[in-house]
């Protein structure tokens, strides 16, 4: 039972981070303008995605991730990793309006939809 709650918490935090990655207005307000009250950055989003994701990516079944969810999540992970490691502007204010980042945000929304995630205030 304890492990199930822990996995649910990890998955919820992971999906919350994806919501942030999908939300341009949040990114502008927090990452670029620093108009809290939240404190967060693009670097936080990257670290949270890969750190929390490792638990999930290594054990989809244990996190009750369906085959459809796994497929879209794997696609997002590949595109996000490519974006992070690729030749992109370093600062969010320099990439937030690019077509590449728009594709990342759109794909993050698709992942959230596949998981039925709707928490706007995570």
């Amino acid at each position: 039972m304890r492990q199930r709650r822990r996995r649910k918490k990890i998955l919820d935090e992971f999906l919350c981070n994806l919501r942030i990655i999908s939300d341009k207005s949040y990114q502008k307000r927090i990452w670029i303008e620093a108009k809290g009250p939240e404190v967060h950055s693009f670097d936080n989003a990257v670290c949270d995605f890969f750190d929390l994701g490792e638990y999930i990516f290594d054990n989809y079944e244990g996190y009750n991730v369906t085959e459809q969810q796994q497929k879209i999540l794997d696609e997002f992970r590949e595109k996000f990793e490519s974006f992070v490691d690729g030749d992109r502007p370093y600062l969010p204010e320099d990439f937030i309006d690019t077509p590449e980042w728009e594709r990342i945000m759109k794909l993050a929304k698709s992942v959230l939809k596949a998981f039925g995630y709707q928490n706007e205030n995570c």
Side-chain angles (χ1 to χ4, degrees), residues 12-27 29-31 38 40 45 49 76 101 105 108-109 111-112 117-122:
D12 285 346
E13 288 180 27
F14 179 78
L15 293 172
C16 178
N17 188 56
L18 277 173
R19 192 205 53 79
I20 290 169
I21 292 170
S22 75
D23 187 344
K24 190 175 197 174
S25 63
Y26 177 96
Q27 295 160 17
R29 182 172 59 85
I30 303 302
W31 294 356
E38 304 91 342
H40 199 262
F49 177 80
F76 179 83
W101 186 246
M105 290 187 299
K109 288 175 187 171
V111 172
L112 295 172
Y117 188 81
Q118 300 178 346
N119 186 350
E120 295 296 321
N121 300 312
C122 61

Side-chain angles (χ1 to χ4, degrees), residues 33-44:
E33 299 168 0
K35 291 183 178 177
E38 304 91 342
V39 177
H40 199 262
S41 69
F42 175 71
D43 291 339
N44 291 136

Side-chain angles (χ1 to χ4, degrees), residues 10 21 32 67-68 72 78 106:
I10 288 169
I21 292 170
I32 296 171
E67 191 174 321
Q68 177 192 3
I72 189 81
E78 178 186 321
K106 185 177 180 181

Side-chain angles (χ1 to χ4, degrees), residues 28 63 69 72 121:
K28 284 186 174 184
Y63 285 84
Q69 291 167 332
I72 189 81
N121 300 312

Side-chain angles (χ1 to χ4, degrees), residues 2-117:
R2 180 183 284 186
Q3 185 150 4
R4 187 180 307 159
R5 281 191 301 240
R6 182 175 178 268
R7 286 180 179 165
K8 182 179 178 349
K9 182 172 175 47
I10 288 169
L11 184 60
D12 285 346
E13 288 180 27
F14 179 78
L15 293 172
C16 178
N17 188 56
L18 277 173
R19 192 205 53 79
I20 290 169
I21 292 170
S22 75
D23 187 344
K24 190 175 197 174
S25 63
Y26 177 96
Q27 295 160 17
K28 284 186 174 184
R29 182 172 59 85
I30 303 302
W31 294 356
I32 296 171
E33 299 168 0
K35 291 183 178 177
E38 304 91 342
V39 177
H40 199 262
S41 69
F42 175 71
D43 291 339
N44 291 136
V46 171
C47 289
D48 289 347
F49 177 80
F50 291 107
D51 289 348
L52 292 170
E54 280 310 306
Y55 295 104
I56 299 161
F57 305 144
D58 290 343
N59 186 12
Y60 283 121
E61 190 175 295
Y63 285 84
N64 297 317
V65 174
T66 68
E67 191 174 321
Q68 177 192 3
Q69 291 167 332
Q70 180 181 344
K71 184 178 177 182
I72 189 81
L73 186 52
D74 284 344
E75 180 183 356
F76 179 83
R77 178 172 59 163
E78 178 186 321
K79 302 288 187 202
F80 190 57
E81 189 171 37
S82 179
F83 180 84
V84 169
D85 292 341
D87 185 23
R88 65 164 172 85
Y90 180 74
L91 298 173
E93 53 265 32
D94 295 332
F95 67 73
I96 198 167
D97 292 319
T98 65
E100 296 81 13
W101 186 246
E102 186 65 38
R103 285 191 288 275
I104 295 293
M105 290 187 299
K106 185 177 180 181
L107 194 50
K109 288 175 187 171
S110 296
V111 172
L112 295 172
K113 184 177 180 183
F115 279 85
Y117 188 81

